[in-house]
Amino acid sequence: MAEGDLGKSESDQNDKQDNVNDPIAELEEMSLNPNADIECLVEDATNEYENLNKTMDELDSWMTNIESRNDSLYSQLQELLQSSRETRLELQQLNGSQEKNVETNAEDKAKS
């Protein structure tokens, strides 16, 4: 054991080792230490801000991509809907003409 660790329990030492890679624990420890290096705090905060900024840029890029795909799908669906309506009208007109032809043929047969 190191000289400074003499009065500390083993769990306290383990907790300290667990906090070595924990940036929040480091910040808390530094804030409790009156000799904390302000430049180190600023550097850590700057790094965190830069990482958050990069993450936000990536999210924005993904959202823009999704929005673009959504717009494309919407316009394709609109075109499909319009085409479907036109086809349905054409089929209704064809069915109407065929019904008239059937009626005319039936009338012609009845007259003969």
Side-chain angles (χ1 to χ4, degrees):
M1 261 192 235
E3 233 177 82
D5 293 338
L6 278 176
K8 297 181 180 177
S9 69
E10 189 173 325
S11 66
D12 288 340
Q13 292 173 12
N14 288 339
D15 288 343
K16 188 173 182 180
Q17 288 174 353
D18 290 341
N19 291 340
V20 170
N21 293 326
D22 184 8
I24 294 174
E26 286 179 18
L27 288 174
E28 288 174 349
E29 189 175 312
M30 290 174 139
S31 66
L32 295 176
N33 182 356
N35 298 325
D37 186 11
I38 298 297
E39 288 179 16
C40 185
L41 288 173
V42 170
E43 183 180 336
D44 288 345
T46 301
N47 289 338
E48 285 297 316
Y49 178 78
E50 288 172 359
N51 288 336
L52 285 172
N53 196 28
K54 287 177 187 176
T55 301
M56 293 297 290
D57 287 343
E58 288 176 16
L59 285 171
D60 183 54
S61 174
W62 279 98
M63 292 298 292
T64 300
N65 188 355
I66 289 171
E67 186 177 356
S68 174
R69 288 181 180 188
N70 185 45
D71 291 344
S72 175
L73 285 174
Y74 180 77
S75 63
Q76 289 175 1
L77 285 172
Q78 289 292 95
E79 290 173 13
L80 180 62
L81 180 61
Q82 183 62 33
S83 173
S84 176
R85 286 178 179 157
E86 291 170 1
T87 303
R88 187 189 61 199
L89 287 174
E90 290 173 7
L91 288 173
Q92 286 175 345
Q93 290 172 354
L94 283 174
N95 285 338
S97 321
Q98 288 176 352
E99 287 176 7
K100 286 181 183 178
N101 287 340
V102 169
E103 288 173 7
T104 305
N105 288 340
E107 288 174 5
D108 289 343
K109 286 183 182 180
K111 288 181 185 177
S112 353

